Amino acid sequence: MATQEELEQLGTIIGKARIGIITTVNEDGALVSRPMAVKDRDFDGDLWFFTEDPSHKTDEVRANPQVNVALDSGKGWVSVAGEASIVKDPAKIDELWDTGAEAWFTDGRNDPKVALLKVTAHTAEYWATDAPTPLVLLKYAKAAVTGGRPDVGEARTVDLDR
């Protein structure tokens, strides 16, 4: 089970990420990835994204809810493995609605195609660093020249099943 420190680190990285790359499995069994804007970035174990329903993405989630979401905050990355579901709860849509969603749904939040993609995280692997990007790059370069491994941050895998 995740420690409080691990949850805080995940929350920090996810809270700064604006886009998640969501990977689903299509009807042929192939992996399909697409960028989507992250909503409600106060991580509590769930990730939220606006989506159109019906769509290829929602069909894929209904057929196989196992997904992965990759996020980058500039100070680290997170790869979340979890289970997705399609949510059409008007209260949750109102809570998360913003100008970004408005841009995708010209008929507004009452458009019948408006839905949320909810990803309930089971595990997350993260890499985090407090070092400035130029220093991280310098450490990579030094490791390449010396044959060593760069010490550029912390990496962990976290069990998030509740």
Side-chain angles (χ1 to χ4, degrees), residues 150-162:
D151 178 16
V152 293
E154 163 188 28
R156 289 193 186 166
T157 300
V158 180
D159 180 4
L160 296 167
D161 280 327
R162 300 165 233 173

Side-chain angles (χ1 to χ4, degrees), residues 35-137:
M36 297 182 71
V38 183
K39 303 298 174 189
D40 187 26
R41 292 179 297 203
D42 292 331
F43 184 66
D44 63 359
D46 296 328
L47 298 170
W48 294 90
F49 306 88
F50 274 99
T51 190
E52 197 171 277
D53 184 36
S55 68
H56 292 296
K57 179 183 341 93
T58 56
D59 291 345
E60 291 164 3
V61 164
R62 285 187 177 98
N64 182 348
Q66 298 305 307
V67 299
N68 191 82
V69 182
L71 304 114
D72 173 26
S73 71
K75 288 292 184 181
W77 62 261
V78 176
S79 176
V80 174
E83 191 169 325
S85 58
I86 309 307
V87 176
K88 289 199 169 193
D89 175 17
K92 191 67 177 178
I93 290 169
D94 284 346
E95 175 189 334
L96 298 177
W97 191 260
D98 61 12
T99 56
E102 188 78 39
W104 287 98
F105 299 98
T106 54
D107 292 333
R109 67 186 79 200
N110 296 319
D111 185 322
K113 292 183 179 182
V114 172
L116 292 163
L117 182 69
K118 175 185 178 185
V119 176
T120 301
H122 294 301
T123 62
E125 184 170 338
Y126 72 86
W127 172 77
T129 183
D130 289 329
T133 302
L135 181 59
V136 170
L137 295 174

